[in-house]
């Protein structure tokens, strides 16, 4: 009995890893549309990728290497790589190419693993590098697929019982695990699309044929045919999120009610969160607290306002606030357990006050997860929804207002000094208060005004040590963390409210040290 349980746990563990891999976009290159990529647009940057990840995974007798341009299948084996080379010859000078996977930058590679095309097609690989040199193309590599636009497609979903009555026009998306437990088998409305990456791709293409606005019922099953919780909203594979957003599907997860997340059982009653907490060194008086999305104050004064609101909740009410998690790729299980036990929050010295109120009022606490490795992705997506990067020495527009800041340099083991903010050259203050003063001044601008932020911690000229690849953006690289990193949603709200045209002036500094290497 014990051995069977152990084997079952291992299989389920493998499944979780596979689903996480899919959700993080690790199969990005594999699961995109199979048709050849159209020629790149003028002055656009491109990505080149291939599968499998390294040469040791290639069967020499029957090699099956797939090459992708911007996520679209270009071809297979050496002829496929030749299509890549022919495409490169048509690219304009100054184009950036980001390619992956680079075996040298992968932490989990087997001994002696080599990058696939350099090992299998050395002559073509040399040609690849020579074409780039002759045409002034910059080459940058990544160990893993880029993840910076994972948050670009938000998905709101509801939860329903598996026995819920079908609504006319419902689309049922289902996956079952194959007998070998290796890959899920996907189906739509009872008709299988296939398993693994090919099945996922075929399912996405079929979903595109359904009418907009339909309800998409997501159903997951294990090998015992019992309903289990499918990937939650955050882990829902990106390909499904994209098509659901594009087709305006109403997504409903079929999960037994006993397994619904707390937030699905009732409307939120009270939610508090914070901004500008760059754990663990941020002074408490630099942290801004929010209640139900509205700023209520900073430091102890802000937390006092939070506690006062929580005291007014009726017995049994629900309270939501965030919880941090380490990156699953960067942390060991032991490190993750230690981090979870410490549970860093900005009000650490006053945690007992909150816990006493929760206990006294018998509140139900729901801690939303904040994976640490997603914060940069969230920041960039929010920033670039309302702002544009002025690239490579291009002339910025005449600005009605200029936001700038300075910050003392620091050593790697020192906490960052609070930034000093300026509005049109006039100092507004230091740290969070200085930035909030900037936002206050933006309120006086006319609708449609142009605002310049100079500098922004971005470099636009390659090659890059760790390139940022996002849809609709040319490649760039971070040179550090902007001091208003945790306050960008407040800036976004003002920019959208006033319909501001915001331009970002890159700092042109060196790549951030933290981005120097891949995971390993």
């Amino acid at each position: 009995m014990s051995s069977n349980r152990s084997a079952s746990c291992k299989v389920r563990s493998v499944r979780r890893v596979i689903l996480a891999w899919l959700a993080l976009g690790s199969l990005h290159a594999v699961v995109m549309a199979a048709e050849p990529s159209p020629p790149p647009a003028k002055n656009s940057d491109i990505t080149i990728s291939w599968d499998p990840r390294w040469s040791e995974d290639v069967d020499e007798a029957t090699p099956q290497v797939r090459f992708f341009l911007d996520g679209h299948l270009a071809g297979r084996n050496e002829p496929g790589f030749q299509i890549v080379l022919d495409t490169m010859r048509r690219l304009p000078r100054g184009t950036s190419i980001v390619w992956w996977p680079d075996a040298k930058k992968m932490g989990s590679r087997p001994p002696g693993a080599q990058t696939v095309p350099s090992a299998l097609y050395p002559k073509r690989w040399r040609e690849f590098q020579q074409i780039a040199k002759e045409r002034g193309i910059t080459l940058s590599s990544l160990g893993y697929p880029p993840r910076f636009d994972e948050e670009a497609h938000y998905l709101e979903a509801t939860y329903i019982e598996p026995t819920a009555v079908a609504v006319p026009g419902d689309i049922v998306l289902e996956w079952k695990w194959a007998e070998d437990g290796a890959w899920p088998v996907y189906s739509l409305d009872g008709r299988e699309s296939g398993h693994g990456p090919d099945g996922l791709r075929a399912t996405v293409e079929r979903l595109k044929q359904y009418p907009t606005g339909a309800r998409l019922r997501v159903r997951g099953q294990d090998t015992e045919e019992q309903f289990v919780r499918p990937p939650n909203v955050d882990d829902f594979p990106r390909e499904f999120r994209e098509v659901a957003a594009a087709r305006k599907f109403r997504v409903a997860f079929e999960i037994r009610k006993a397994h619904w997340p707390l937030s699905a059982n009732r409307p939120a009653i009270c939610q508090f969160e914070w901004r500008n907490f760059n754990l663990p060194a941020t002074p408490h008086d630099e942290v801004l607290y929010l209640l139900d999305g509205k700023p209520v104050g900073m430091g102890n004064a802000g937390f006092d306002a939070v506690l006062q609101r929580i005291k007014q909740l009726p017995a049994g009410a629900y309270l939501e606030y965030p919880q941090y998690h380490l990156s699953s790729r960067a942390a060991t299980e032991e490190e993750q357990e230690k981090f979870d036990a410490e549970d860093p929050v900005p009000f650490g010295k006053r945690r007992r006050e909150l816990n006493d109120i929760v206990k006294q009022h018998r509140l139900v606490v729901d801690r939303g997860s904040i994976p640490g490795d997603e914060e940069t992705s969230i920041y960039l997506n929010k920033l670039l929804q309302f702002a544009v990067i002025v690239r490579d020495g291009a002339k910025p527009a005449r600005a009605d207002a200029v936001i700038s800041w300075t910050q003392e340099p620091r050593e790697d083991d020192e906490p960052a000094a609070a930034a000093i903010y300026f509005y049109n050259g006039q100092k507004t203050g230091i740290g969070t208060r200085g930035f909030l003063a900037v936002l206050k001044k933006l309120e006086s601008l006319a609708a449609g005004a142009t605002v310049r932020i100079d500098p922004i911690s971005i470099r636009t000229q390659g090659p890059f040590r760790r390139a940022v690849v996002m849809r609709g953006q040319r490649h760039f690289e971070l040179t550090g963390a902007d001091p208003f990193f945790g306050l960008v949603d407040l800036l976004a709200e003002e920019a959208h409210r006033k319909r501001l045209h915001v331009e970002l002036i890159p700092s042109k500094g060196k790549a951030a040290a933290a981005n120097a290497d891949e995971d390993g």
Side-chain angles (χ1 to χ4, degrees), residues 33 56 138 247 281 364 408 423 436 481-482:
E56 280 67 13
T138 61
R247 306 298 295 172
V364 179
E408 291 295 323
Y423 184 86
L436 294 178
D482 295 309

Side-chain angles (χ1 to χ4, degrees), residues 41 43 77 113 136-137 269 298 300 306 314 331 371 399 402 419 444 508 510 520:
N43 296 324
N77 303 324
I137 295 170
I269 293 181
M298 297 178 62
N300 283 326
V306 168
V402 178
S444 63
K508 301 180 182 179
K510 295 181 179 179

Side-chain angles (χ1 to χ4, degrees), residues 48-49 65-69 73-87 121:
I48 297 172
S49 55
V65 181
R66 294 184 288 186
F67 289 91
F68 300 85
L69 286 166
L73 181 64
R76 300 173 187 270
N77 303 324
E78 190 168 6
F81 196 24
Q82 183 62 54
I83 292 174
V84 169
L85 300 180
D86 292 341
T87 301
Y121 318 117

Side-chain angles (χ1 to χ4, degrees), residues 20 44 54 139 143 168 310 358 391:
S44 67
W54 43 61
L139 297 178
I310 295 173
V358 168
R391 298 185 59 98

Side-chain angles (χ1 to χ4, degrees), residues 185-257:
V185 178
Y186 298 93
S187 67
L188 275 176
D189 290 338
R191 184 163 65 90
E192 288 188 0
S193 301
H195 74 282
D198 290 335
L200 178 59
R201 183 179 64 244
T203 305
V204 167
E205 292 304 311
R206 287 179 59 193
L207 276 173
K208 293 178 181 178
Q209 309 306 315
Y210 284 86
T212 58
R215 186 171 74 164
L216 179 65
R217 295 179 62 142
V218 182
R219 177 182 300 167
Q221 292 182 321
D222 64 16
T223 52
E224 285 76 34
E225 302 297 327
Q226 297 172 336
F227 287 101
V228 295
R229 178 174 179 171
N232 63 31
V233 175
D234 295 329
D235 292 337
F236 201 38
R238 182 184 63 192
E239 291 75 19
F240 289 150
R241 274 186 285 159
E242 290 178 355
V243 72
R247 306 298 295 172
K248 296 181 172 59
F249 291 149
R250 293 170 290 116
V251 180
F253 287 95
E254 287 191 1
I255 306 173
R256 293 189 186 280
K257 195 165 187 176

Side-chain angles (χ1 to χ4, degrees), residues 116-304:
V116 170
S118 67
L120 270 61
Y121 318 117
K123 182 178 178 181
R124 300 292 186 201
W125 185 249
R126 290 191 295 271
E127 190 176 352
F128 171 74
Q129 295 171 315
Q130 185 62 31
I131 293 172
K133 182 178 180 180
E134 292 174 353
R135 299 197 58 78
I137 295 170
T138 61
L139 297 178
S140 309
S141 68
L142 296 172
Y144 299 91
R147 300 168 53 185
F148 288 100
D149 56 0
E150 284 299 301
E151 295 297 318
H153 299 273
Y154 297 99
L155 178 68
E156 293 185 2
T158 58
Y159 297 86
I160 59 175
E161 284 273 17
T163 55
V165 176
V167 173
D170 269 0
I171 311 166
V172 179
L173 168 62
E174 182 177 9
W175 57 77
K176 300 179 181 179
W177 290 99
E179 292 183 2
D180 59 8
W183 294 102
V185 178
Y186 298 93
S187 67
L188 275 176
D189 290 338
R191 184 163 65 90
E192 288 188 0
S193 301
H195 74 282
D198 290 335
L200 178 59
R201 183 179 64 244
T203 305
V204 167
E205 292 304 311
R206 287 179 59 193
L207 276 173
K208 293 178 181 178
Q209 309 306 315
Y210 284 86
T212 58
R215 186 171 74 164
L216 179 65
R217 295 179 62 142
V218 182
R219 177 182 300 167
Q221 292 182 321
D222 64 16
T223 52
E224 285 76 34
E225 302 297 327
Q226 297 172 336
F227 287 101
V228 295
R229 178 174 179 171
N232 63 31
V233 175
D234 295 329
D235 292 337
F236 201 38
R238 182 184 63 192
E239 291 75 19
F240 289 150
R241 274 186 285 159
E242 290 178 355
V243 72
R247 306 298 295 172
K248 296 181 172 59
F249 291 149
R250 293 170 290 116
V251 180
F253 287 95
E254 287 191 1
I255 306 173
R256 293 189 186 280
K257 195 165 187 176
H259 299 296
W260 287 7
L262 292 174
S263 58
N265 287 306
R266 83 305 174 227
I269 293 181
C270 181
Q271 179 188 70
F272 82 92
E273 51 190 323
W274 49 83
R275 296 290 185 272
N276 205 40
F277 178 51
N278 301 317
L279 67 162
T282 307
H284 191 214
D285 61 3
E286 280 290 301
V287 175
L288 176 68
Y289 286 95
L290 296 88
L291 271 171
D292 297 325
K294 302 297 182 182
V296 294
M298 297 178 62
N300 283 326
F303 192 60
D304 286 340

